[in-house]
Amino acid sequence: MGKAKGKHRLDKYYHLAKEHGYRSRASWKLVQLNSKFQFLESARSVLDLCAAPGGWMQVAVQRVPVDHLVIGVDLAPIAPIRGAIAIQEDITKTECKSRIKKLMGQHGCRAFDVILHDGSPNIGGAWAQEAMSQNALVIDAVRLATQFLAPKGIFVTKVIIHLFPILILIIIIIVAVIIIYCSFFAW
């Protein structure tokens, strides 16, 4: 039997998302992380990578200060969210970086305080392939984070752990290097 999707996924996070008007059950991952670590309340700028349908953008807009910048990027279109900017681009392409830089300049943003990534490829059913593709998206997100994350900024991502523990270790090391680099070197 396959994994239940959409209206057939009736766990508590699905219901909580619907009750609070969030576009996805994944919104609750970010709500829980932020409840524990309180990183959105002090953020002046947030970049959400692989953002469709926009649930994490909704959470970010609700929790960042009033004069903020929230940008969401995805290959798929993202319906408008008041207080956020949606870009339909591929995060691996130069055009995406250029559009982000342009928006940053227009809003007086030198770097992002928080970069979020909750992307997953649409493979369906091929768990091992999906895990590998998702981890490749994480690496792409880390690459963007090295260019756009502020010193002492926060990078939040999801990693599917499957048969690739060495890849996971490499990702953890890369993220640690980014954190150390951003902590010690100014822009």
Side-chain angles (χ1 to χ4, degrees):
M1 183 183 220
K3 196 174 181 181
K5 293 185 179 181
K7 292 180 184 176
H8 302 290
R9 178 181 280 165
L10 300 177
D11 64 13
K12 79 175 188 176
Y13 299 108
Y14 173 85
H15 291 293
L16 282 169
K18 295 302 170 201
E19 286 172 21
H20 289 87
Y22 290 127
R23 296 178 180 185
S24 68
R25 64 187 293 282
S27 303
W28 286 100
K29 290 185 233 174
L30 187 57
V31 168
Q32 289 174 330
L33 282 168
N34 189 62
S35 292
K36 185 171 184 174
F37 299 106
Q38 300 291 311
F39 53 89
L40 288 173
E41 286 74 10
S42 61
R44 294 177 313 267
S45 54
V46 177
L47 177 62
D48 186 2
L49 304 172
C50 304
W56 280 28
M57 289 171 65
Q58 289 177 298
V59 173
V61 166
Q62 289 175 349
R63 286 170 171 73
V64 296
V66 175
D67 292 327
H68 65 277
L69 174 62
V70 175
I71 299 175
V73 182
D74 201 290
L75 280 171
I78 303 168
I81 296 171
R82 181 170 291 167
I85 299 167
I87 301 173
Q88 187 174 356
E89 288 283 354
D90 182 340
I91 68 169
T92 66
K93 304 293 183 195
T94 306
E95 296 82 16
C96 179
K97 294 175 202 167
S98 297
R99 286 190 67 191
I100 292 169
K101 285 179 185 176
K102 182 178 179 183
L103 285 168
M104 290 169 71
Q106 291 172 348
H107 292 273
C109 174
R110 292 185 47 198
F112 290 95
D113 299 316
V114 176
I115 297 181
L116 306 170
H117 175 255
D118 188 35
S120 288
N122 294 324
I123 295 174
W127 176 244
Q129 184 179 357
E130 186 171 333
M132 186 66 158
S133 297
Q134 195 275 336
N135 290 333
L137 278 175
V138 169
I139 291 170
D140 292 329
V142 168
R143 284 187 188 123
L144 276 180
T146 62
Q147 297 172 36
F148 292 123
L149 190 62
K152 298 186 182 180
I154 304 292
F155 177 68
V156 178
T157 191
K158 149 181 96 176
V159 178
I160 297 176
I161 299 174
H162 189 58
L163 300 174
F164 309 104
I166 293 173
L167 180 61
I168 303 304
L169 181 60
I170 291 169
I171 291 169
I172 291 169
I173 291 168
I174 291 170
V175 171
V177 168
I178 291 169
I179 292 167
I180 292 167
Y181 179 82
C182 290
S183 296
F184 290 108
F185 297 100
W187 289 99

